[in-house]
Amino acid sequence: MTGPGRRSATLAEPDPARREPTRPREITGTTRLYAVVGDPVEQVQAPMLVNPVFTEAGLDAVLVPVHARPRDFPTVLAGLCAMANLDGILITIPHKVAAAELADVRSPAARISGSANALRREPDGRWLADNFDGAGFVRGLARAGHRVAGARVHLAGAGGAGSAIAVALLEAGCADLALHDPDTARSGELLGRLEPPWPGRASAAAATPAREVDLIVNATPLGLRPADPLPFDPAALPAGCVVADIIMKPARTRLLRAAAERGLPTHPGIHMLAEQVDLYRAFFGLPDTR
């Protein structure tokens, strides 16, 4: 991203399980700003991953959470984009679809998925939207040793993150993708966008898998709050099915605990974010000096 007075920064991929708290740098009039926008924002992990990296690298930059309710999101986004000392915007629940719609330009991933989780200012002043949720999710699965190529996948959720994950799973060569969302219009629109590049590979599904499945993914917000119901019943899953959740806080959601109690392998949401750090660095044009 370009911007008046922008300073180069380097994002190294931190280990969220081992990183010790780091004292933040003093905020001054020269501090460059990054924002992560969502509703709610209490669960966001990006500031805890990125700000210690800024501090350790001696960068005068900070990533802050911005709480924007859906009705206010267009106004908040327009205000952020107008800030001359803002170098990047990350987007989380539930604004990813709206962010893609409001951006001036969309990457292929943002266009096919219909959602965005990162925005940058182009040299001509327009804002480009991209989505790294799917790529980060698939990278996280690979790093954990979970196979995607040839896998039979059930995906719960066709919202901002779910749509990006659907694209990435198909790109990674999953055998077929069964998609469920209570909003059948939304899931139908996503299936329509997935059909041209991957004909016959994605289809609508019921909430509970009706066939053998190798990987099942919760890409819904269910699990953010203690009282949330489970997005699907792990008891109905075959032995060996990997249960993945994109919820990052709590780290071990009710779904993952229930799946583990039934002896199923689980995959928590933090990996999706941790694997995106390199992608963000490339997107924002930040040098890799590691």
Side-chain angles (χ1 to χ4, degrees), residues 46-267:
M48 286 78 85
L49 289 174
V50 174
N51 283 323
V53 179
F54 286 155
T55 301
E56 292 166 4
L59 302 170
D60 191 7
V62 63
L63 174 67
V64 299
V66 174
H67 188 183
R69 294 181 174 85
R71 67 177 180 273
D72 301 320
F73 178 70
T75 302
V76 171
L77 184 64
L80 290 171
C81 291
M83 294 170 60
N85 62 340
L86 187 100
D87 286 347
I89 305 172
L90 304 182
I91 307 292
T92 189
I93 294 171
H95 302 313
K96 295 178 182 182
V97 172
E101 293 173 349
L102 292 169
D104 301 310
V105 188
R106 284 164 287 278
S107 72
R111 187 181 68 253
I112 296 173
S113 69
S115 68
N117 76 335
L119 298 172
R120 77 176 183 211
R121 184 185 289 112
E122 296 290 82
D124 61 5
R126 295 184 300 168
W127 282 82
L128 169 67
D130 208 333
N131 198 320
F132 304 110
D133 279 335
F137 180 77
V138 168
R139 284 187 178 203
L141 286 173
R143 189 177 293 275
H146 301 308
R147 177 179 58 90
V148 174
R152 298 161 297 181
V153 182
H154 182 100
L155 175 63
S163 58
I165 289 170
V167 170
L169 288 168
L170 289 165
E171 285 183 333
C174 71
D176 59 78
L177 179 70
L179 175 67
H180 172 75
D181 193 293
D183 186 339
T184 55
R186 179 166 66 178
S187 60
E189 290 173 1
L190 175 57
L191 289 170
R193 295 194 299 270
L194 297 175
E195 180 63 20
W198 299 286
R201 297 262 303 281
S203 60
T208 300
R211 54 164 175 73
E212 288 294 300
V213 60
D214 304 305
L215 168 67
I216 189 166
V217 184
N218 175 37
T220 78
L222 295 176
L224 279 174
R225 298 173 178 84
D228 284 346
L230 295 178
F232 46 80
D233 183 4
L237 301 175
C241 176
V242 177
V243 180
D245 202 333
I246 70 166
I247 300 296
M248 298 181 195
K249 187 177 181 181
R252 301 297 296 180
T253 60
R254 282 186 59 226
L255 173 64
L256 295 183
R257 293 198 306 270
E261 288 171 0
R262 288 163 174 77
L264 299 173
T266 62
H267 185 77

